[in-house]
Amino acid sequence: SPQAAKVQDLLDPENPVPFEEIYLPFVTVARQKLHSLAGTACDVLTEKAHTDLERNLLRRLFHLCAQALDLKFSVLRATRQSGLGRLLESLEQTPSRDLYRALVEELLEGDLGDFFQEYPVLGRLVGTIIDLWVESVAEFLHRLEADLAALQQTFQPHTEPGRVVAIKPVFSDPHNRGHSVIAVEFASGLSLIYKPKDLGLEVAYFEFLAWLNEHSG
């Protein structure tokens, strides 16, 4: 289906993520939730920019689940492959991926529920990460949609910025319910940094400085 094809675009053969196929259904759920919450604000991003955001979510899920999945894979390999087989495989320049593919297929065909029953806290954390990602990205999209005119007037008054063509959400660790600093690139070439931070304290401080300057002497 077109939806499945778009999800497959998250897989980067040049920079694969271990067990990335397992996380694709979760990214699909996150995408549906985001479109439901953000609505037309999603249109300010190109498909490439959406992919940037979703691939970042995929990597966050990988870091969360990596140890548990690696343990499951080790157990599978120990039960289905002899010690001699593992030794011979380690000597090959291109080790076989048959056991890896077997584990991925088993999990996607029904064992994923059993896996999270075995690790219920991990399952809850996965759900929490998805919800926080949806919440923070929807907030970013709504703010971007509302501020487009002001951004153009401030940074590029004679050229329309256009849609966002690339996003790099790697400038800070997620904090404050999943928020992070990201770099945003528009079709016009304009690049900006989005930092979700309450500036109320800074505004009050500079207003106080202005008051002091007015009343000095």
Side-chain angles (χ1 to χ4, degrees):
S1 67
Q3 184 76 359
K6 290 181 180 179
V7 173
Q8 290 296 324
D9 290 343
L10 294 176
L11 304 184
D12 182 1
E14 300 298 324
N15 190 23
V17 174
F19 298 107
E20 56 191 1
E21 301 91 343
I22 295 172
Y23 309 122
L24 292 183
F26 298 108
V27 177
T28 299
V29 170
R31 174 183 295 179
Q32 293 168 349
K33 286 189 168 190
L34 177 62
H35 280 269
S36 176
L37 185 61
T40 58
C42 292
D43 296 338
V44 299
L45 305 187
T46 62
E47 187 63 33
K48 165 65 169 58
H50 276 292
T51 298
D52 291 340
L53 285 171
E54 291 172 350
R55 186 157 179 81
N56 180 257
L57 172 61
L58 188 147
R59 286 190 167 278
R60 288 174 63 182
L61 293 174
F62 155 68
H63 288 297
L64 188 64
C65 301
Q67 288 186 327
L69 285 172
D70 185 59
L71 175 60
K72 190 168 185 65
F73 180 65
S74 297
V75 171
L76 177 70
R77 186 168 56 181
T79 56
R80 296 192 185 181
Q81 191 178 45
S82 65
L84 178 60
R86 291 195 295 273
L87 175 61
L88 294 175
E89 181 179 302
S90 66
L91 298 176
E92 296 178 2
Q93 291 185 348
T94 306
S96 171
R97 290 171 55 87
D98 290 344
L99 284 178
Y100 171 84
R101 284 192 290 266
L103 176 59
V104 169
E105 290 175 3
E106 288 177 7
L107 289 172
L108 291 179
E109 289 175 1
D111 287 353
L112 199 54
D114 294 337
F115 173 75
F116 283 115
Q117 283 186 351
E118 185 178 356
Y119 298 97
V121 175
L122 179 61
R124 185 175 62 186
L125 287 174
V126 167
T128 300
I129 288 292
I130 290 173
D131 286 341
L132 293 180
W133 180 88
V134 170
E135 177 186 301
S136 61
V137 172
E139 180 184 76
F140 160 67
L141 293 177
H142 283 304
R143 288 176 172 177
L144 180 60
E145 183 183 45
D147 292 346
L148 271 178
L151 292 174
Q152 178 180 354
Q153 183 178 1
T154 303
F155 298 104
Q156 214 169 41
H158 303 297
T159 307
E160 279 195 26
R163 299 169 73 194
V164 174
V165 297
I167 291 179
K168 294 181 179 178
V170 294
F171 280 72
S172 70
D173 293 327
H175 60 282
N176 188 23
R177 297 184 60 83
H179 291 77
S180 63
V181 179
I182 60 177
V184 181
E185 181 182 343
F186 293 86
S188 65
L190 175 66
S191 295
L192 297 174
I193 300 295
Y194 168 71
K195 184 174 184 179
K197 177 184 177 182
D198 185 354
L199 297 178
L201 184 61
E202 283 83 353
V203 171
Y205 174 72
F206 283 106
E207 287 178 348
F208 177 60
L209 286 183
W211 183 88
L212 287 177
N213 290 332
E214 291 174 4
H215 293 81
S216 61

